[in-house]
């Protein structure tokens, strides 16, 4: 059995590097440029894996050896078995994270492929609310806020890629406990969280937002 060691966002890094090598293969004739790109791609991948075993290094290094789109595609699908899925979660656990929300609409968890999830997220269209559940150090953190589609494309805070955006705003704890004027933090994020989860290559911005939005 294969031991999972690749997180979704790390898999996205491998995917991105594979795409870049393929693009270079198609556009650059100079072999030395190509070799440099191949070499750098492996380094870029290693950078996001702090503790690789020798076998895992060899497996990831292979990305630099392919020639065709088919080779890359096959390689990426083979890596899928090494993906560390989002930790198991039940609708009850989700409900407990949002005690103040009555009639919480929990998403259909069976329909989600948790291998490709960095953060679990869903929208309640009736109330214009976005919910995010993020696993951190063996626990789950839940945040909720108002979501407003912008009908525009731009850079998402979480994945830093150019996608269809929505404005996500979360009320935060007032600095003075008795104060009734709440502060809020807001950012532009992907409207489609599935697209975002397939693009995110670094969790720093997402975590920073979640920690400052956490009540
Ligand atoms: Zn995004």
């Amino acid at each position: 059995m294969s031991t999972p060691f690749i997180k979704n966002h790390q898999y996205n890094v491998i995917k991105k590097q594979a795409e870049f090598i393929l693009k270079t293969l198609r556009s650059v004739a100079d072999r030395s440029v190509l070799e440099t790109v191949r070499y750098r791609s492996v380094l870029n991948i290693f950078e996001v894996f702090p503790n690789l075993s020798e076998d895992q290094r060899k497996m990831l290094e292979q990305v630099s050896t392919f020639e065709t789109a088919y080779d890359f595609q096959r390689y990426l699908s083979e890596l899928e078995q090494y993906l560390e899925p989002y930790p198991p979660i039940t609708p009850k656990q989700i409900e407990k994270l949002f005690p103040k929300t009555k009639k919480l609409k929990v998403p259909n968890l069976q329909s989600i492929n948790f291998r490709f999830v960095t953060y679990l997220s869903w929208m309640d269209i009736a109330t214009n609310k976005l919910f995010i559940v993020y696993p951190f150090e063996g626990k789950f953190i839940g945040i909720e806020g108002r979501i407003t589609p912008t009908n525009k494309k731009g850079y998402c805070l979480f994945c830093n890629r150019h996608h269809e955006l929505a404005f996500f705003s979360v009320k935060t704890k007032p600095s003075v406990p008795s104060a009734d004027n709440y502060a809020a933090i807001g950012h532009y994020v992907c409207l489609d969280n599935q697209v975002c989860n397939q693009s995110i290559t670094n969790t720093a911005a997402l975590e920073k937002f979640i920690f400052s939005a956490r009540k």
Side-chain angles (χ1 to χ4, degrees), residues 29-177:
D30 187 335
R31 294 303 290 185
S32 68
V33 172
L34 183 60
E35 287 320 304
T36 308
V37 166
R38 288 190 193 274
Y39 175 73
R40 284 225 188 104
S41 293
V42 173
L43 293 185
N44 289 342
I45 291 169
F46 282 172
E47 212 166 85
V48 298
F49 288 91
N51 302 303
L52 288 174
S53 70
E54 201 44 48
D55 287 347
Q56 291 165 346
R57 281 177 84 89
K58 277 188 190 135
M59 195 190 301
L60 297 181
E61 250 168 18
Q62 280 175 32
V63 77
S64 67
T65 61
F66 304 122
E67 295 289 332
T68 67
Y70 174 77
D71 294 339
F72 283 104
Q73 205 44 57
R74 197 181 50 184
Y75 173 71
L76 289 170
S77 346
E78 272 167 14
L79 281 187
E80 284 181 10
Q81 60 184 309
Y82 298 97
L83 274 161
E84 224 171 77
Y86 186 95
I89 189 164
T90 63
K92 269 233 145 55
Q93 281 174 292
I94 294 176
E95 277 164 18
K96 275 192 188 154
L97 294 171
F98 303 100
K100 285 181 192 157
T101 308
K102 287 176 198 132
K103 289 183 189 160
L104 181 75
K105 287 196 181 96
V106 177
N108 178 8
L109 300 175
Q110 256 92 48
S111 70
I112 298 167
N113 186 347
F114 282 101
R115 269 182 178 165
F116 305 107
V117 174
T118 295
Y119 68 95
L120 179 65
S121 163
W122 69 99
M123 222 186 274
D124 184 343
I125 296 163
T127 55
N128 285 323
K129 271 186 159 183
L130 181 80
F131 298 84
I132 291 180
V133 176
Y134 186 69
F136 190 75
E137 292 180 346
K139 288 184 179 163
F140 291 105
I141 304 170
I143 61 164
E144 60 176 282
R146 197 154 288 277
I147 187 94
T148 318
T150 61
N151 300 313
K152 264 188 237 161
K153 278 193 163 191
Y155 285 91
C156 160
L157 174 77
F158 298 157
C159 69
N160 199 29
R161 295 283 276 265
H162 199 251
H163 289 306
E164 184 87 33
L165 294 180
F167 189 71
F168 181 39
S169 129
V170 182
K171 278 182 187 169
T172 54
K173 234 185 226 168
S175 45
V176 185

Side-chain angles (χ1 to χ4, degrees), residues 154-161 165 186-190 196 200 202 204-206 208-209:
Y155 285 91
C156 160
L157 174 77
F158 298 157
C159 69
N160 199 29
R161 295 283 276 265
L165 294 180
H187 272 286
Y188 290 99
V189 298
C190 283
C196 197
I200 189 165
N202 183 322
L206 171 70
K208 194 176 165 211
F209 184 87

